[in-house]
């Protein structure tokens, strides 16, 4: 390799450099890169901590949701038990009403034939309170006191309704299990 040298040009010293205005120095560039790396590392560490906490909270919620499923099954079983109890009570009441309707229809049929209805037949349902027209509780209690004179037991006289047309009822059971009664004249 050949070197061309000009004697008039001063020699360049390699150890000493002048900085150009507007161009950062090498030390400053390394410092900026180091600060940027520290900031990125701090953001990554913070994100990792929050991610770990979020995952931990998610695991806790999944465990609680698993318990909620078991709780739901227990509540469902109890509701089914209560529903079965109510259904059996409604069925018993339905049978009792059917029996009462049958007894009433039988009594009405006997009355229509002119036969007296036996007063000694036991009532299947609970006794109903007496119905009186244009009386108050005070009037009824005064009448009871006069009639029982020291007995202490109220006596109710039942007003008998005049026989009317024989209404009959049709039992309608829907596919979902609901039972309705429709009055047929």
């Amino acid at each position: 390799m050949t070197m061309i040298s000009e004697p008039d040009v001063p020699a360049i010293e390699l150890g000493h450099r002048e900085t150009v205005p507007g161009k950062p120095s090498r030390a400053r560039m390394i410092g900026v890169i180091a600060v940027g790396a520290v900031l990125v590392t701090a953001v990554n560490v913070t994100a990792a901590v929050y991610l770990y906490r979020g995952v931990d909270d998610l695991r806790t919620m999944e465990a609680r949701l698993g318990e909620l499923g078991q709780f739901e099954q227990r509540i469902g079983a109890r509701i089914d038990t209560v529903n079965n109890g109510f259904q059996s009570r409604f069925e018993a009441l339905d049978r009792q009403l059917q029996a009462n309707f049958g007894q009433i229809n039988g009594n009405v049929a006997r009355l229509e034939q002119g036969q007296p209805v036996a007063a000694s037949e036991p009532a299947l349902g609970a006794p109903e309170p007496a119905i009186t027209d244009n009386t108050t509780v005070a009037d009824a209690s005064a009448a009871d006191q006069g009639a029982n004179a020291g007995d202490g037991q109220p006596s109710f006289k039942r007003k008998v309704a005049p026989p009317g047309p024989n209404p009959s009822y049709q039992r309608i059971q829907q596919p979902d299990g609901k039972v309705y009664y429709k009055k047929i004249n």
Side-chain angles (χ1 to χ4, degrees), residues 20-97:
V20 179
K23 185 175 181 186
S25 69
R26 191 173 264 200
R28 180 174 260 184
M29 184 67 85
I30 291 173
V32 168
I33 291 174
V35 169
V38 167
L39 284 175
V40 169
T41 303
V43 168
N44 282 338
V45 167
T46 305
V49 167
Y50 280 109
L51 182 64
Y52 176 74
R53 286 182 183 172
V55 168
D56 188 43
D57 289 344
L58 184 62
R59 286 182 184 150
T60 304
M61 291 301 286
E62 285 178 353
R64 291 184 74 188
L65 285 175
E67 292 172 2
L68 184 63
Q70 294 170 354
F71 177 73
E72 182 183 0
Q73 288 175 350
R74 289 194 311 262
I75 292 295
R78 287 185 182 175
I79 287 174
D80 288 343
T81 303
V82 170
N83 283 342
N84 289 339
F86 277 125
Q87 185 67 30
S88 65
R89 285 184 182 180
F90 285 135
E91 288 173 357
L93 286 173
D94 182 43
R95 285 191 299 270
Q96 186 178 9
L97 280 173

Side-chain angles (χ1 to χ4, degrees), residues 1-2 5 13-14 23 27 32 42 44-45 62 70 79 81 85 100 108-109 113 125-126 144 161 176:
M1 199 182 243
T2 17
S5 70
E13 296 179 18
L14 294 176
K23 185 175 181 186
V32 168
N44 282 338
V45 167
E62 285 178 353
Q70 294 170 354
I79 287 174
T81 303
N100 285 345
V108 168
Q113 293 175 356
D144 287 340
D176 60 353

Side-chain angles (χ1 to χ4, degrees), residues 148-179:
N148 291 335
D151 186 9
Q153 297 290 331
S155 66
F156 293 102
K157 294 185 180 183
R158 181 173 231 171
K159 183 177 178 182
V160 178
N166 183 11
S168 58
Y169 295 90
Q170 177 184 8
R171 184 174 190 259
I172 302 168
Q173 184 170 5
Q174 305 237 336
D176 60 353
K178 293 181 182 178
V179 177

